[in-house]
């Protein structure tokens, strides 16, 4: 069964949402910034970023929904593909310890940005690759790193990653937060692993 869990993604009908994620009391430093990305099934995305950056400047990571045109989307609605949302990860980080560029380079290593609206066996617009920037500086850096990743890392395909302003964020149901930590051996998208690319120049 653990092996099957890794291949088959369970479907939860939980409807509990954190409607106001900012309400959670957090003691973030005043210079804390956000980084919001989509790279397929958000369970594995969160797991990999936490694994590599916990204790290294990553202050918080929440899975949720962004980029859609409806309010308060549920997991079931997002999975239907009708809301326009992407399964995403929103991180809060300390730029004095961890740079936005480092997070984006890792983003391009841990998934395949050339498979449009798909990661592994997960297919649909909710699984698209995207960077949602929070200011003009982030947009410039996202476009620069994407251009370099295309030329140096993903030369055999075309990066389909969308680069868009961050709109309204909705936390996913509590069941999805820290999913792979709470469900060891649970489903992991086979496209989610860290490629051994050389540093971008």
């Amino acid at each position: 069964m653990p092996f099957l869990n890794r291949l088959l993604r369970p479907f939860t009908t939980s409807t509990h949402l954190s409607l106001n994620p900012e309400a959670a009391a957090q003691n973030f430093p005043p210079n804390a910034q956000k980084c919001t990305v989509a790279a397929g099934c958000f369970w594995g995305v969160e797991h990999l970023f936490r694994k590599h950056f916990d204790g290294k400047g990553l202050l918080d990571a929440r899975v949720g929904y962004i980029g859609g045109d409806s309010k308060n989307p549920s997991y079931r609605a997002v999975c239907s593909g009708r809301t326009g949302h992407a399964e995403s990860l929103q991180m809060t980080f300390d730029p004095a310890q961890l740079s936005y560029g480092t997070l984006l380079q890792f983003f391009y290593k841990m998934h395949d940005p050339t498979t449009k609206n798909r990661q592994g066996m997960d297919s649909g617009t909710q699984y698209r690759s995207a960077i949602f920037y929070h200011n003009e500086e982030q947009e410039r850096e996202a476009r620069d790193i994407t251009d370099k990743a295309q030329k140096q890392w993903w030369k055999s395909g075309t990066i389909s990653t969308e680069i868009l302003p961050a709109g309204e964020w909705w936390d996913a149901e509590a069941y999805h937060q820290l999913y792979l930590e709470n469900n060891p051996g649970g489903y992991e998208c086979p496209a989610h692993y860290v490629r051994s690319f050389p540093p971008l120049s």
Side-chain angles (χ1 to χ4, degrees):
M1 185 59 72
F3 174 73
L4 289 177
N5 286 344
R6 289 182 178 272
L7 297 179
L8 302 174
R9 187 177 184 188
F11 189 85
T12 175
T13 57
S14 170
T15 58
H16 173 72
L17 287 174
S18 174
L19 302 182
N20 182 10
E22 299 299 330
Q26 299 285 1
N27 294 316
F28 296 146
N31 66 331
Q33 297 180 17
K34 284 184 167 57
C35 173
T36 305
V37 297
C41 174
F42 49 22
W43 296 337
V45 180
E46 178 194 33
H47 184 68
L48 281 177
F49 272 95
R50 284 187 178 276
K51 180 179 178 181
H52 284 80
F53 297 111
D54 267 354
K56 300 175 183 177
L58 181 65
L59 304 174
D60 188 41
R62 304 285 296 174
V63 298
Y65 315 117
I66 195 171
D69 53 13
S70 64
K71 298 285 187 181
N72 190 14
S74 67
Y75 179 65
R76 180 181 291 276
V78 171
C79 284
S80 75
R82 294 192 297 268
T83 72
H85 292 86
E87 290 195 16
S88 304
L89 178 70
Q90 186 163 95
M91 295 168 278
T92 304
F93 66 99
D94 181 352
Q97 302 179 58
L98 177 62
S99 73
Y100 183 67
T102 296
L103 290 170
L104 291 192
Q105 289 187 47
F106 185 80
F107 165 78
Y108 277 120
K109 288 181 178 180
M110 58 71 56
H111 82 299
D112 184 349
T114 69
T115 54
K116 188 174 182 178
N117 296 330
R118 180 170 59 83
Q119 288 297 309
M121 295 176 288
D122 300 325
S123 179
T125 57
Q126 69 270 31
Y127 300 118
R128 64 189 181 271
S129 175
I131 298 168
F132 298 92
Y133 57 85
H134 292 269
N135 54 49
E136 291 182 356
E137 183 179 350
Q138 285 194 354
E139 180 186 10
R140 286 193 296 270
E141 192 158 10
R143 295 191 184 282
D144 180 59
I145 289 174
T146 299
D147 182 63
K148 290 179 178 178
Q150 176 68 79
K151 294 174 179 176
Q152 299 176 41
W153 288 351
W154 295 99
K155 293 178 284 187
S156 62
T158 300
I159 288 179
S160 64
T161 304
E162 299 176 348
I163 300 175
L164 301 167
E168 191 165 19
W169 170 266
W170 302 92
D171 261 12
E173 294 86 343
Y175 174 83
H176 296 293
Q177 309 298 334
L178 293 168
Y179 180 84
L180 288 173
E181 180 175 319
N182 294 325
N183 297 273
Y187 173 79
E188 294 183 62
C189 175
H192 288 163
Y193 62 93
V194 183
R195 282 79 174 166
S196 56
F197 291 138
L200 290 176
S201 58

